[in-house]
Amino acid sequence: MSDIESFGRKLGDFAHGLLAGQDGEGGVTNELRNEETLRALYQKFNDNDLDAASTLLTDDYEGIDVPSGEVVRGPAGWKQRQAANRIPMPDARTTIQSLVIKGDFAVAEVVNEGTHTAPFPLPGGGEHPPTGNRIRGLSCELYEFRDGRIAKGTLYYDFLTVANQLGLKF
């Protein structure tokens, strides 16, 4: 079974548990701990404390950026990716709009915002010069937890909206 199929199966089990109203193994205590971990990750990103944020990830963390196809591994890989994300928008912030946690799985709808003040790397290479525009994009982020730390993150986002705000034409 591929990683995508395995994750799809786990996501299906997660959704089934939500609809059935089951607490699952670990119950509310795990869910509260996982919620605290995820909220701390976003807050530490907002504070630009990537070192502290990376301690919330397992050593074998896997992060999948679905639109770009990029996969990062481990806390160091996550930290490097997030540092790169902050370059074109040093004031980048994330805000959770909605959050559902069931057992060791979470789904977060997130607003990502920042001011485009440095070159923005483009898919396939190249850069788009700074525009000074305020950028606002939505993402849906899926997380798996292990022992209160984040073991996997899968990110889906609307790059077309961001591209339009950057002034890119397709």
Side-chain angles (χ1 to χ4, degrees):
M1 178 180 310
S2 73
D3 288 342
I4 292 174
E5 289 170 328
S6 175
F7 185 73
R9 183 173 302 216
K10 289 176 184 178
L11 184 59
D13 291 345
F14 168 73
H16 178 73
L18 284 177
L19 296 173
Q22 300 167 356
D23 284 340
E25 192 174 317
V28 174
T29 304
N30 267 357
E31 291 171 359
L32 291 175
R33 179 180 65 181
N34 293 340
E35 180 177 355
E36 288 173 2
T37 298
L38 189 55
R39 289 187 185 279
L41 181 79
Y42 287 119
Q43 186 58 54
K44 290 177 185 323
F45 174 83
N46 289 343
D47 295 341
N48 199 20
D49 190 353
L50 302 180
D51 287 327
S54 68
T55 67
L56 300 170
L57 309 173
T58 61
D59 291 339
D60 63 344
Y61 170 81
E62 179 181 65
I64 302 168
D65 181 318
V66 173
S68 75
E70 182 179 5
V71 177
V72 298
R73 301 198 188 284
W78 178 89
K79 184 179 162 186
Q80 181 179 9
R81 172 74 167 133
Q82 298 310 316
N85 286 342
R86 293 191 79 88
I87 291 171
M89 292 181 274
D91 65 343
R93 294 192 53 78
T94 60
T95 305
I96 297 171
Q97 295 298 295
S98 59
L99 177 62
V100 176
I101 297 181
K102 185 68 176 170
D104 285 331
F105 295 92
V107 178
E109 178 186 29
V110 178
V111 174
N112 303 287
E113 297 179 282
T115 309
H116 180 214
T117 60
F120 191 95
L122 297 173
E127 295 179 331
H128 186 63
T131 62
N133 292 348
R134 188 83 181 140
I135 306 300
R136 183 177 192 273
L138 297 176
S139 63
C140 179
E141 304 178 5
L142 310 174
Y143 293 96
E144 292 182 42
F145 297 85
R146 186 178 336 112
D147 300 323
R149 293 169 66 201
I150 301 168
K152 185 173 186 178
T154 305
L155 171 66
Y156 300 85
Y157 54 90
D158 177 9
F159 184 74
L160 185 56
T161 296
V162 171
N164 285 333
Q165 293 173 30
L166 289 170
L168 297 171
K169 301 298 176 206
F170 295 95

